[in-house]
Amino acid sequence: MESGTSTTAASKTKVEQRPNLFKQDFSTTGLNQKWTADMNYIQTKRNGWCYLSTIMDLHSRRIIGYSFSKKMNTDLVLKTLESTVKNRTITGDLIIHTDLGSQYTSDDYSQRLTELHIRHSYSRKGCPYDNAPMESFHASLKKECVYPVPVFENYETAAAVLFEYVHAFYNRKRIHSSLGYQTPLQVEIATLTSQMAA
């Protein structure tokens, strides 16, 4: 697997020993307490498989960072992380949850999280329920955005459609029963308004 400018060498700690801090508890009391991250495969005719990397804030279910690339490497997930932290307030209690993929267990990713004072939680191997909210997003993405177009023509076409889906539809218009039938953006606005009034 290519790694671009970053290495994907896993740290010496065995993956089985990495902590699952969430333990399927996705509850929050505010923004920037629990984030979850993952990658998804998107097929194109001309460019083959491309890869969508996303980060979600569990309080609002909003996709707060994403990157799309022709390569599935550590650079991709680091780019997503950097785009996210530019627009969010990092708290001392923030946890990000991922799977045990080599990109997320790489030394580069771990080092950057340490620098940002973000704790890292991991799904158990072969247990999608440990990252259920992100799995739900992927299911919605495939059903509402990807499956209606059997295969995107190329990377550029897929990138444009995914941008529209994430920013214009999913975050702003798609209601969630878990959010009291509000959109992620509505929840974020209400939360920030409440914090300012407190």
Side-chain angles (χ1 to χ4, degrees):
M1 183 179 297
E2 297 185 47
S3 60
T5 59
S6 298
T7 65
T8 54
S11 67
K12 295 180 181 179
T13 305
K14 292 182 179 180
V15 294
E16 291 83 0
Q17 296 175 342
R18 294 177 183 266
N20 183 341
L21 303 176
F22 277 13
K23 297 180 180 178
Q24 298 186 17
D25 177 9
F26 308 117
S27 62
T28 59
T29 57
L31 299 170
N32 305 314
Q33 295 176 351
K34 295 179 181 179
W35 294 352
T36 179
D38 203 356
M39 288 184 287
N40 210 334
Y41 298 74
I42 306 294
Q43 189 175 16
T44 69
K45 290 181 181 178
R46 297 185 183 180
N47 302 110
W49 290 103
C50 298
Y51 309 94
L52 177 68
S53 166
T54 52
I55 295 178
M56 172 191 290
D57 189 307
L58 286 179
H59 186 70
S60 63
R61 297 297 200 269
R62 184 180 184 181
I63 300 302
I64 55 176
Y66 94 106
S67 299
F68 189 53
S69 176
K70 297 176 185 177
K71 297 180 180 180
M72 186 175 67
N73 52 26
T74 303
D75 286 344
L76 173 60
V77 296
L78 281 171
K79 182 179 178 181
T80 308
L81 179 63
E82 295 301 337
S83 70
T84 303
V85 298
K86 285 181 181 179
N87 301 309
R88 309 295 286 196
T89 301
I90 305 300
T91 66
D93 296 327
L94 176 59
I95 302 171
I96 190 167
H97 185 89
T98 72
D99 61 24
L100 292 165
S102 61
Q103 297 80 14
Y104 294 120
T105 58
S106 68
D107 291 335
D108 288 348
Y109 198 77
S110 297
Q111 179 180 340
R112 186 59 181 139
L113 290 181
T114 299
E115 293 170 351
L116 292 168
H117 304 289
I118 300 175
R119 290 185 291 164
H120 200 170
S121 172
Y122 301 85
S123 294
R124 292 165 295 175
K125 187 176 181 180
C127 188
Y129 298 107
D130 285 347
N131 203 356
M134 188 59 86
E135 294 291 336
S136 178
F137 166 72
H138 284 167
S140 298
L141 173 75
K142 290 293 181 68
K143 180 180 179 180
E144 299 167 351
C145 178
V146 177
Y147 292 156
V149 183
V151 181
F152 291 107
E153 183 64 27
N154 52 35
Y155 169 84
E156 291 76 16
T157 300
V161 173
L162 290 169
F163 180 90
E164 183 74 14
Y165 178 81
V166 171
H167 290 287
F169 178 71
Y170 189 87
N171 282 341
R172 295 176 177 272
K173 296 181 180 179
R174 196 182 193 284
I175 61 174
H176 296 253
S177 58
S178 62
L179 300 177
Y181 297 95
Q182 299 180 86
T183 68
L185 185 59
Q186 285 176 325
V187 172
E188 290 222 346
I189 291 173
T191 302
L192 291 171
T193 301
S194 177
Q195 290 176 349
M196 293 175 62

